[in-house]
Amino acid sequence: MGDFNFSYCVWIPLIPLFSFLILGLFGNKFKEKLTGILGTLALGIIFALSLYTAYEYFFVHGLVNGTYQKIIAINVTWLQFTDKLHINMGVLLDPISVMMLVVVTTVSFMVHLYSIGYMKGERGVERYFAFLSLFTFSMLGLVIATNIFQMYIFWELVGVSSYLLIGFYYQKPSAVAASKKAFIVTRFADLGFLIGILILSFITGTFDFITLTDPAGEAIHRGAEIGFMGMSVMTWAMLLIFMGGAGKSAMFPLHIWLPDAMEGPTPVSALIHAATMVVAGVYLVARLFPIFHFSAQPALNIIAYVGGFTSLFAAVIACTQLDIKRVLAFSTLSQIGYMMLALGVSGYGSHDGLGFMASNFHLFTHAMFKALLFLGAGAIIHAVHSNYMNEMGGLRKHLPITHATFLIACLTIAGLYPLSGFFSKDEILAAAFHKDKLLFAVEYCVAGLTAFYMFRLYFVVFWGKDTQYHHKPHEAPFTMTIPLMFLAIASVFAGFIPFSELVTSDSIPFEGEIDWMIAIPSIAVGLLGILIAMIMYRKENNYPARMAATLKYLYRWSFNKFYIDEIYLFITKKIIFRYIARPVAWFDRHMVDGTMNGIAGMTNVISFRIRGLQSGQLQKYGFVFITGALALALVFIYLWTK
């Protein structure tokens, strides 16, 4: 590392914090355009700082003796419990945290720039940009955390930020309900996360990431030999921690908040629910991966199957949705499932850790093309004032830039060579093939479904029927199209980054290669999905209706998201509220409150009856005193003579 000082990195999270404070406190005194410029300028600065940090870390100072170092750029003790157990606030730089700095600041900068045009004329623009800055600060604090408790603090701040942004249109009951749903579901998952942290810190005696994840250290192996209900205590701790990650990354069955979260402004969907917040769970598992691998292998197997099932489940639902943003939401669920599966099937070390590298590689490429898809959807909604695909058609003639960039994103997510999605998805499939053939087969199916539902969306919106719009759609302003073009370029070329030489499970670079025996059939499956979508949706015909009629029950279940929300409502309202909450409320109202009210009532009655003793009349006090004295004297005489 030499003498290079990375302490300047503390400004990367602090600048958006200052932006949040300035815009939140004084934003209403600025003009709308100035508010957007200030917020975007702050993000532009930290975007440049993050790129500079990535260059200095990966290509100049980070690699020492063939291994990327874990660098503590700054570390300050915040709470001290014991000599070993304390909570610090600091900046940890290693391959995955530096990679996430680039992801978060790139997407956030593009979203801020895009929002200048998208939010023009909206009420509360200063509040919107303040909340965006708060979210960016929270996410950056999470990814550079030096210890798991610092991560947890910023994890909760991310939850608060998402609540504020999802419910930005607080006049809409649906937006308020969506923000509460996201907050409650993720808080429920975070309870497991917190319990897992407490168990882990009790076992290991530390919160520090470097100590926790050192394969040669003692902490990583503690608790692995202590059994509880058929698994080690360490496995239980890591499963509880994964519960928090599953909630934030919307893994089944904690996925129900993500589709509803589309009620927020579309750029918010791009920032929070496509590229950054929902990958926090993937980042959490990657950060603690050595513990999962060496001391909690059963937890890693569960992660693989949860990811595999979620990817297939969400892909099937995405094939039938009509709301353009909900299609992309379920697509996000499916792609995050890919990443979780890759971590679950990964080993440790160079080539054994292919899944770890592939998961982070897909996290990076997915951030670019999914942000592009959401921002493209925002440009479409901005042009036609509707979210529903069945109210769109023929937009390629009206939105040429949006059409071209959206097509690039669709081809990328479909995994076609040589776009970035091909490279990262191929590595995941290769990792699954070597570890679990069932999961490998599932992900092949998901690859075909992904190509199908994305080109279903593309052909319906940009081709399809010639819709008669209320007004002629027009291309978005340059503040919206510049981010689209930038992200399109990133989606094309990000796959050529030699990720295996930068981000690995043991921080030792290795040379990656394409397994064409897996890649060629994968491309063929993607092309088949595109071909089917083109036949069914490029021109208006009755194929979709016939397909829906043929697969009547599957189509209905998929369209209604397999009734998972209804199951949750049934369990909560019909079972928990009726048979648990209502009896508890009755006991609280009649027994607890009733007892307290009875004591208060009895005290009141007795006080009323004896109120004369405190009348203030001297003759009454004298009478009581003399009567009492005579009674005591008689008792004394009686006892004396007995």
Side-chain angles (χ1 to χ4, degrees):
M1 185 178 75
D3 297 325
F4 191 80
N5 189 352
F6 281 97
S7 60
Y8 70 87
C9 291
V10 73
W11 289 104
I12 295 176
L14 287 182
I15 289 173
L17 174 61
F18 293 146
S19 173
F20 161 68
L21 294 173
I22 292 169
L23 295 177
L25 294 174
F26 309 109
N28 59 352
K29 302 183 187 305
F30 302 148
K31 292 183 178 180
E32 177 188 306
K33 192 172 183 180
L34 180 60
T35 301
I37 291 172
L38 288 175
T40 305
L41 180 62
L43 264 295
I45 293 170
I46 65 168
F47 171 58
L49 280 176
S50 297
L51 292 179
Y52 174 69
T53 301
Y55 171 76
E56 290 291 342
Y57 180 83
F58 284 120
F59 303 109
V60 183
H61 300 287
L63 190 64
V64 178
N65 298 325
T67 303
Y68 283 108
Q69 304 300 297
K70 294 181 184 294
I71 300 170
I72 301 292
I74 191 168
N75 210 24
V76 179
T77 299
W78 181 45
L79 295 175
Q80 182 92 34
F81 298 111
T82 67
D83 291 340
K84 292 184 178 180
L85 194 60
H86 48 85
I87 299 175
N88 292 351
M89 289 288 173
V91 176
L92 170 62
L93 299 179
D94 69 347
I96 58 172
S97 65
V98 174
M99 179 268 295
M100 283 297 293
L101 282 179
V102 174
V103 168
V104 174
T105 56
T106 301
V107 176
S108 188
F109 178 47
M110 291 299 112
V111 166
H112 274 74
L113 179 60
Y114 180 94
S115 296
I116 293 175
Y118 188 87
M119 298 299 290
K120 185 178 180 181
E122 292 272 8
R123 288 181 55 194
V125 170
E126 70 285 346
R127 177 167 53 91
Y128 171 82
F129 278 99
F131 290 165
L132 282 186
S133 295
L134 176 63
F135 172 81
T136 306
F137 161 70
S138 306
M139 194 67 200
L140 290 170
L142 186 157
V143 301
I144 61 174
T146 59
N147 61 85
I148 196 168
F149 221 99
Q150 180 185 342
M151 176 183 270
Y152 180 76
I153 292 166
F154 283 97
W155 188 276
E156 295 304 314
L157 268 176
V158 168
V160 172
S161 307
S162 66
Y163 170 81
L164 295 171
L165 285 166
I166 295 166
F168 176 76
Y169 297 121
Y170 60 85
Q171 305 92 338
K172 292 172 57 179
S174 57
V176 174
S179 63
K180 290 192 293 185
K181 186 176 184 179
F183 193 78
I184 292 168
V185 172
T186 53
R187 290 299 73 69
F188 174 77
D190 291 349
L191 174 62
F193 186 16
L194 179 59
I195 295 171
I197 290 173
L198 296 176
I199 296 172
L200 181 64
S201 62
F202 178 77
I203 294 170
T204 61
T206 183
F207 294 123
D208 182 66
F209 279 135
I210 293 180
T211 307
L212 281 172
T213 58
D214 181 8
E218 296 180 6
I220 198 171
H221 301 290
R222 291 176 187 167
E225 70 284 353
I226 305 172
F228 178 72
M229 295 180 63
M231 291 192 292
S232 71
V233 174
M234 184 64 88
T235 299
W236 282 110
M238 300 314 292
L239 280 174
L240 286 166
I241 288 173
F242 171 65
M243 179 179 171
K248 198 71 81 185
S249 288
M251 293 290 96
F252 181 90
L254 299 172
H255 66 283
I256 57 171
W257 65 270
L258 186 63
D260 290 1
M262 299 301 109
E263 290 290 340
T266 303
V268 169
S269 303
L271 178 62
I272 300 181
H273 308 292
T276 52
M277 174 178 165
V278 292
V279 299
V282 178
Y283 179 75
L284 173 64
V285 176
R287 169 58 69 204
L288 297 174
F289 183 77
I291 305 178
F292 280 104
H293 177 75
F294 288 108
S295 301
Q297 193 63 229
L300 212 54
N301 295 332
I302 291 170
I303 290 170
Y305 278 91
V306 168
F309 178 81
T310 302
S311 66
L312 179 61
F313 172 83
V316 171
I317 295 176
C319 292
T320 59
Q321 300 303 299
L322 296 176
D323 185 324
I324 186 172
K325 289 172 69 176
R326 277 177 167 74
V327 173
L328 298 179
F330 281 105
S331 172
T332 298
L333 287 177
S334 184
Q335 298 301 307
I336 300 296
Y338 258 115
M339 300 172 206
M340 286 292 190
L341 179 147
L343 288 171
V345 300
S346 181
Y348 188 82
S350 296
H351 290 281
D352 289 338
L354 179 61
F356 181 93
M357 185 278 293
S359 177
N360 286 281
F361 194 8
H362 200 59
L363 186 159
F364 186 87
T365 60
H366 173 262
M368 303 305 158
F369 62 71
K370 186 53 64 69
L372 174 56
L373 285 168
F374 266 107
L375 296 184
I380 295 165
I381 295 167
H382 184 266
V384 302
H385 305 293
S386 174
N387 287 27
Y388 291 95
M389 294 158 52
N390 53 356
E391 298 177 4
M392 303 174 187
L395 285 176
R396 70 188 186 284
K397 296 174 288 188
H398 306 289
L399 312 175
I401 297 175
T402 302
H403 169 240
T405 54
F406 202 89
L407 176 59
I408 289 171
C410 289
L411 292 168
T412 305
I413 194 174
L416 297 190
Y417 183 83
L419 305 176
S420 62
F422 162 79
F423 294 97
S424 56
K425 187 185 72 172
D426 174 70
E427 300 287 16
I428 292 176
L429 291 172
F433 178 79
H434 296 301
K435 182 68 179 288
D436 192 310
K437 298 298 190 293
L438 174 60
L439 291 175
F440 171 73
V442 166
E443 294 316 304
Y444 250 56
C445 294
V446 173
L449 289 171
T450 301
F452 170 76
Y453 67 67
M454 285 311 307
F455 275 87
R456 167 181 176 263
L457 172 59
Y458 166 76
F459 283 120
V460 168
V461 171
F462 292 103
W463 296 76
K465 62 181 179 180
D466 258 339
T467 304
Q468 296 298 315
Y469 298 102
H470 295 296
H471 61 278
K472 185 178 180 180
H474 57 85
E475 186 61 89
F478 76 95
T479 53
M480 294 170 65
T481 54
I482 288 175
L484 294 181
M485 290 184 282
F486 177 90
L487 290 169
I489 294 169
S491 298
V492 171
F493 294 107
F496 293 102
I497 296 173
F499 234 72
S500 62
E501 298 176 15
L502 304 174
V503 180
T504 60
S505 59
D506 58 357
S507 298
I508 299 175
F510 68 92
E511 188 173 343
E513 56 185 20
I514 299 172
D515 188 338
W516 289 106
M517 295 299 292
I518 294 173
I520 291 174
S522 172
I523 295 172
V525 168
L527 289 172
L528 179 62
I530 295 172
L531 178 62
I532 294 172
M534 184 171 69
I535 292 170
M536 293 180 66
Y537 297 103
R538 186 173 180 273
K539 294 181 179 179
E540 193 172 10
N541 57 65
N542 64 348
Y543 290 140
R546 288 165 57 185
M547 182 68 75
T550 303
L551 303 174
K552 181 169 66 173
Y553 294 108
L554 177 60
Y555 177 85
R556 185 185 304 166
W557 278 64
S558 174
F559 183 77
N560 290 289
K561 297 167 282 189
F562 290 92
Y563 300 99
I564 302 296
D565 285 88
E566 287 76 7
I567 292 171
Y568 271 108
L569 286 173
F570 174 80
I571 292 172
T572 53
K573 287 189 173 182
K574 301 296 184 181
I575 298 176
I576 296 176
F577 289 176
R578 179 178 294 180
Y579 296 110
I580 299 176
R582 190 174 295 172
V584 169
W586 182 92
F587 181 83
D588 179 66
R589 190 179 304 111
H590 293 88
M591 303 302 292
V592 178
D593 289 353
T595 301
M596 294 299 104
N597 291 337
I599 293 171
M602 187 178 297
T603 302
N604 192 42
V605 170
I606 294 171
S607 300
F608 184 81
R609 293 292 175 86
I610 65 172
R611 70 190 188 283
L613 297 175
Q614 296 292 330
S615 65
Q617 296 179 3
L618 188 61
Q619 60 270 31
K620 286 188 177 182
Y621 293 165
F623 174 76
V624 171
F625 175 76
I626 294 170
T627 302
L630 289 173
L632 289 173
L634 290 173
V635 170
F636 179 75
I637 293 169
Y638 172 75
L639 293 174
W640 180 265
T641 57
K642 186 174 179 181

